[in-house]
Amino acid sequence: MKPTGWRELLPTFAVVTVVAYLITRISYGVLPPLPLFAGITLLLLAIIETILGYSLKARIEQRPGTQPVQPLVAARAVALAKASAVAGALMAGVWAGLLGYLLPRYGQLAAAADDTPAAVLGLVCALALVAAALWLQHCCRAPTDSDDPDREHQGR
């Protein structure tokens, strides 16, 4: 399984941004007002994944006072990280598309001015989830032993 990188997430983000902008452009008049903290759940997930990443990293590196990580636990954490990175990119695209519609109309429509802070917060929270997911994925990598030349070449 190959690690997810930000370059793989950019096309998803770009396509969803365009689609979300177009949908918002067509249907903004019938949408209800956005709650300010609509995207905060993504931030909570990002915090949890960041904490999990630090914990797993310490256990994988076998720091004193930690227990070794079972391979299945690490695999599940990587699966969570990969899924969260994609979900964060999708949601960031939704919030960015919404912002693409709202920002030019900020001074013209009262509803756009009211919804903009929620969209900005949602975008920030979605990007935080992407960053936390990539961090968690990074933390789950097995340490390499530089004294063992065979181990360095196994991944090639």
Side-chain angles (χ1 to χ4, degrees):
M1 186 165 36
K2 183 180 156 195
T4 302
W6 61 271
R7 289 183 182 149
E8 289 87 11
L9 299 174
L10 279 178
T12 301
F13 170 78
V15 168
V16 172
T17 299
V18 170
V19 170
Y21 172 81
L22 293 173
I23 290 172
T24 303
R25 187 173 176 178
I26 293 168
S27 63
Y28 185 70
V30 297
L31 292 176
L34 291 175
L36 178 60
F37 297 110
I40 204 74
T41 305
L42 302 174
L43 182 61
L44 295 175
L45 290 171
I47 291 168
I48 290 168
E49 289 189 23
T50 301
I51 293 168
L52 179 61
Y54 279 110
S55 172
L56 284 174
K57 186 171 178 64
R59 291 174 61 193
I60 289 171
E61 292 175 351
Q62 298 178 350
R63 293 183 189 156
T66 62
Q67 295 179 349
V69 176
Q70 296 295 324
L72 190 55
V73 171
R76 287 179 178 164
V78 169
L80 171 66
K82 290 178 82 58
S84 294
V86 172
L90 288 169
M91 289 309 300
V94 169
W95 290 115
L98 186 60
L99 273 173
Y101 178 82
L102 294 174
L103 289 177
R105 291 157 183 83
Y106 185 84
Q108 301 165 350
L109 293 174
D114 292 342
D115 287 342
T116 299
V120 169
L121 183 60
L123 178 59
V124 168
C125 291
L127 293 174
L129 179 58
V130 170
L134 294 177
W135 168 249
L136 175 58
Q137 187 175 262
H138 172 78
C139 290
C140 291
R141 291 194 299 180
T144 57
D145 186 2
S146 60
D147 295 335
D148 184 3
D150 292 332
R151 185 164 185 159
E152 288 181 11
H153 300 290
Q154 284 177 347
R156 294 183 190 171

